[in-house]
Amino acid sequence: MLLVINLGSQLAHLIARRVRDLGVYSEIVPYDISAEKIKALKPKGIILSGGPSSVYEKNAPLIDNEIFNLGIPVLGICYGLQLIGKAFGKVENYQIKEYGKTSLKLKKNGKLLEKLSKDEQVWMSHGDAITNLDKDFEVLASTNSCKLAAIENHKKNIYGLQFHPEVVHTLKGTEIFRNFLFRICKAKKDFNISDMKEKLIKEIKETVGNNEVLMATSGGVDSTVAAVLVHHAIGRKLHCIFIDHGLIRKNEKEEVDAKYRKYFKFENYYSVDASAIFLKKLECISDPEEKRKIIGHTFIEVFEKHAKQLEKKHPKIKFLGQGTIYPDRIESAQPSKQASKIKSHHNLTLPEKMNLKVIEPLKDLYKDGVRKLGKELDIPKEILNRHPFPGPGLAIRILGDITKEKLEIVREADNIFIEELKKSGYYDKTWQALAALLPIKTVGVMGDARTYEYIITLRAVTSVDAMTADWAKLPDKLLGMISNRIVNEVKGVNRVVYDITQKPPATIEYE
Ligand code: XMP
């Protein structure tokens, strides 16, 4: 196992994933972890991630320097290297800031840069520089503006890079990680999905024993993989509820029902139509946050009611299964807890007071790991490659108040958009695509008649993690055809626009 000390959230995730991609299990820990605790975890190596701070800033995340005395190999990346500099030399604010692609000139390969050539493209980002370092450190490589771009110290087992090996623009990044993991740390390949599946199934069986498990599914990737995994482990002892809140896509309920009942063959699957309750509560509500809150609370109410009924009938239900994945729960390891709240919670946390013990079998996996596990479990590709769909569903794609008429319009427009993206092969090339209804009417002409109808806005984005996104450059011809189909086939729409805004400053959803 390899530990990644988190000094800048997203970067730490990227590093942890690169390590797992090479077959070594990695975990992210917060920067204030003590050396003693690390020792107890017995990692093969430690990586100090990059981060946005400067080591001399007030409140800059600092680590327990005893970490350097554990005899465990340490690799510092960017800000992580500055911490090494702070412990064993001097770091100064550097006047020339360097960002982006840079040429790295190697003096020697050492262990860390084995198999790299004399000149390599790397991705740099720094504002500080180490100006002095203990003599037993060797300088392996430099860039034009950074003398100590790669260093190593065999005696202390400490290594450092000023550039980012975890980003794709560092062309030999994987090679560098391989050197660190296998040459320096002597790590073993202990992370593969097939073993992981067997291990998780065994764990679920042991934890649940003779008891039974309750789960809610949305039909999305995470909850489906979690439910199918639990079903593999305990079969009919799993009770799985799908709640239709009336804000889902065209034919979604039928499709989810068919998958769970016929394809996955769940013995105890319950499909609950709660749409009337949700739509009643959402009547005349226009504020996005209020919509989210109402949907969240109502979801919990409906779930609790059905859970209670089930628990009465099946008193052995003692566990609540959830599809939480690693990034959902690693927030606690973020160096900054001050990130501003842009939209209220994305994932519903089901009631803590339910007196059920929570099991979260996917809690250590990233999304790509979840997809791989899903493949091992024979979950069809169309589920595993589904675009994300928000919990509050179409409610946040109808700007302003929600009516049955508007729901129908968005549902039909969305269906046409997605259908055409799938036919043209663009569905798999985009991260997410959606149709939203703008609650204003404009004048148009159809045949000889004047029309006065709503606008549909289409949004398709490319992204890696939804934190940032770019609008997808869909071909004009495809957009034209989709627009024609929507205006011709969806009653109540006479105009279609395509959103060409990046995130930031916009978000992916409209509310
Ligand atoms: P934004 O709109 O914040 O969305 O750029 C980023 C990603 O999160 C999804 N999203 C949600 N998912 N409940 C969810 O389960 C929500 O309330 C919610 N809001 C946004 C969005 O679809 C995108 O993938």
Side-chain angles (χ1 to χ4, degrees):
M1 192 256 281
L2 203 115
L3 276 192
V4 179
I5 298 190
N6 187 3
L7 298 148
S9 72
Q10 290 310 313
L11 295 164
H13 277 299
L14 220 53
I15 297 167
R17 281 169 58 173
R18 296 296 294 265
V19 172
R20 288 185 184 197
D21 285 348
L22 287 169
V24 178
Y25 183 68
S26 62
E27 271 201 27
I28 299 179
V29 290
Y31 67 87
D32 54 5
I33 186 170
S34 67
E36 219 167 290
K37 221 169 177 182
I38 291 187
K39 200 173 160 191
L41 290 169
K42 298 198 179 112
K44 284 281 187 195
I46 299 167
I47 299 182
L48 309 174
S49 82
S53 314
S54 156
V55 286
Y56 290 118
E57 252 168 45
K58 231 175 108 191
N59 301 329
L62 300 177
I63 51 166
D64 177 353
N65 277 348
E66 272 306 303
I67 288 171
F68 296 119
N69 299 327
L70 295 173
I72 302 169
V74 177
L75 170 65
I77 295 175
C78 191
Y79 177 79
L81 171 69
Q82 310 291 333
L83 289 176
I84 296 172
K86 188 166 184 286
F88 300 100
K90 193 166 177 223
V91 180
E92 281 179 62
N93 190 275
Y94 197 59
Q95 292 312 316
I96 312 166
K97 299 206 184 308
E98 193 178 6
Y99 296 100
K101 284 179 201 165
T102 307
S103 154
L104 180 79
K105 307 271 190 251
L106 264 73
K107 291 189 177 66
K108 63 187 284 192
N109 291 86
K111 286 188 187 173
L112 191 59
L113 304 185
E114 186 74 25
K115 289 198 186 144
L116 268 67
S117 28
K118 291 279 166 237
D119 195 338
E120 293 282 358
Q121 179 190 306
V122 298
W123 185 261
M124 201 59 149
S125 116
H126 73 115
D128 287 348
I130 299 178
T131 50
N132 199 354
L133 203 56
D134 282 3
K135 287 210 172 45
D136 46 4
F137 280 87
E138 277 186 281
V139 179
L140 301 181
S142 314
T143 68
N144 261 345
S145 66
C146 174
K147 272 209 279 194
L148 281 68
I151 55 161
E152 66 184 32
N153 183 330
H154 297 156
K155 216 168 81 196
K156 294 197 170 76
N157 228 345
I158 297 175
Y159 303 78
L161 300 169
Q162 183 56 61
F163 58 89
H164 290 275
E166 70 274 27
V167 306
V168 287
H169 309 289
T170 295
L171 300 178
K172 296 277 177 63
T174 306
E175 208 54 53
I176 299 175
F177 278 117
R178 214 175 263 140
N179 288 337
F180 183 66
L181 295 176
F182 303 115
R183 278 176 181 276
I184 297 169
C185 301
K186 310 264 186 273
K188 292 219 168 57
K189 291 197 179 195
D190 57 358
F191 185 68
N192 78 62
I193 285 293
S194 178
D195 291 352
M196 184 91 173
K197 178 183 116 183
E198 298 309 324
K199 186 178 138 233
L200 290 172
I201 289 179
K202 193 166 159 255
E203 273 172 18
I204 295 167
K205 275 185 186 158
E206 282 170 8
T207 311
V208 175
N210 278 330
N211 295 310
E212 298 184 8
V213 178
L214 179 62
M215 281 183 103
T217 181
S218 68
V221 182
D222 302 344
S223 59
T224 300
V225 174
V228 171
L229 182 73
V230 174
H231 187 248
H232 267 248
I234 60 168
R236 59 172 58 250
K237 288 193 285 186
L238 168 65
H239 300 265
C240 188
I241 305 184
F242 170 70
I243 296 172
D244 172 7
H245 54 21
L247 305 158
I248 53 179
R249 285 161 293 188
K250 192 173 174 180
N251 299 330
E252 197 166 2
K253 179 173 161 12
E254 293 73 17
E255 283 167 18
V256 176
D257 288 355
K259 279 279 166 337
Y260 278 78
R261 290 205 174 108
K262 299 205 180 103
Y263 189 87
F264 301 132
K265 299 200 167 55
F266 276 38
E267 298 82 355
N268 295 310
Y269 169 81
Y270 318 93
S271 179
V272 176
D273 179 1
S275 53
I277 307 171
F278 280 86
L279 297 186
K280 180 96 195 91
K281 291 202 175 179
L282 286 167
E283 243 169 47
C284 302
I285 305 290
S286 313
D287 180 70
E289 282 301 292
E290 210 175 324
K291 283 184 191 172
R292 274 196 166 73
K293 270 190 203 120
I294 292 174
I295 295 167
H297 290 150
T298 313
F299 187 90
I300 288 173
E301 262 172 49
V302 173
F303 182 77
E304 260 189 326
K305 188 180 132 208
H306 287 273
K308 268 196 198 128
Q309 289 169 0
L310 276 172
E311 281 177 73
K312 249 194 206 153
K313 264 213 224 142
H314 304 274
K316 284 192 167 174
I317 294 180
K318 295 279 183 254
F319 292 90
L320 180 68
Q322 288 194 306
T324 320
I325 69 172
Y326 197 46
D328 296 336
R329 71 184 180 96
I330 205 66
E331 305 283 281
S332 59
Q334 276 189 11
S336 157
K337 295 191 174 72
Q338 280 109 37
S340 68
K341 185 174 129 184
I342 296 170
K343 293 178 186 179
S344 59
H345 69 244
H346 279 186
N347 287 314
L348 283 170
T349 330
L350 286 168
E352 282 160 15
K353 57 175 192 262
M354 274 178 68
N355 248 342
L356 296 176
K357 279 183 231 143
V358 172
I359 49 170
E360 297 173 318
L362 310 181
K363 69 181 192 319
D364 292 327
L365 292 179
Y366 284 102
K367 197 86 171 186
D368 52 345
V370 173
R371 290 204 166 101
K372 280 185 201 152
L373 178 64
K375 208 167 150 214
E376 286 280 317
L377 290 161
D378 291 326
I379 296 176
K381 256 209 333 246
E382 80 246 25
I383 295 184
L384 298 178
N385 295 339
R386 244 170 66 142
H387 285 174
F389 185 68
L394 301 177
I396 56 169
R397 295 180 181 174
I398 294 170
L399 284 68
D401 70 320
I402 300 161
T403 62
K404 279 206 170 123
E405 182 211 358
K406 289 179 187 168
L407 262 171
E408 195 53 31
I409 292 176
V410 168
R411 217 169 248 149
E412 290 300 326
D414 168 82
N415 191 49
I416 292 172
F417 190 23
I418 300 298
E419 200 174 279
E420 292 299 336
L421 286 177
K422 283 188 177 162
K423 262 198 236 161
S424 62
Y426 274 87
Y427 185 84
D428 289 335
K429 291 184 199 156
T430 45
W431 163 271
Q432 195 169 0
L434 59 102
L437 182 136
L438 303 182
I440 33 167
K441 291 191 172 183
T442 68
V443 174
V445 54
M446 262 194 182
D448 285 334
R450 175 187 187 275
T451 58
Y452 189 56
E453 312 278 19
Y454 288 119
I455 306 176
I456 280 290
T457 168
L458 302 178
R459 182 146 173 78
V461 296
T462 52
S463 176
V464 278
D465 54 10
M467 301 291 290
T468 60
D470 194 6
W471 58 281
K473 314 295 181 293
L474 299 181
D476 299 352
K477 222 171 136 189
L478 178 64
L479 284 170
M481 194 249 291
I482 293 166
S483 163
N484 279 345
R485 273 198 65 190
I486 292 177
V487 173
N488 288 332
E489 294 174 35
V490 185
K491 214 171 138 264
V493 179
N494 66 355
R495 201 177 286 267
V496 174
V497 296
Y498 187 57
D499 187 337
I500 53 167
T501 333
Q502 292 186 333
K503 171 184 179 176
T507 51
I508 295 176
E509 302 288 346
Y510 279 80
E511 290 196 328

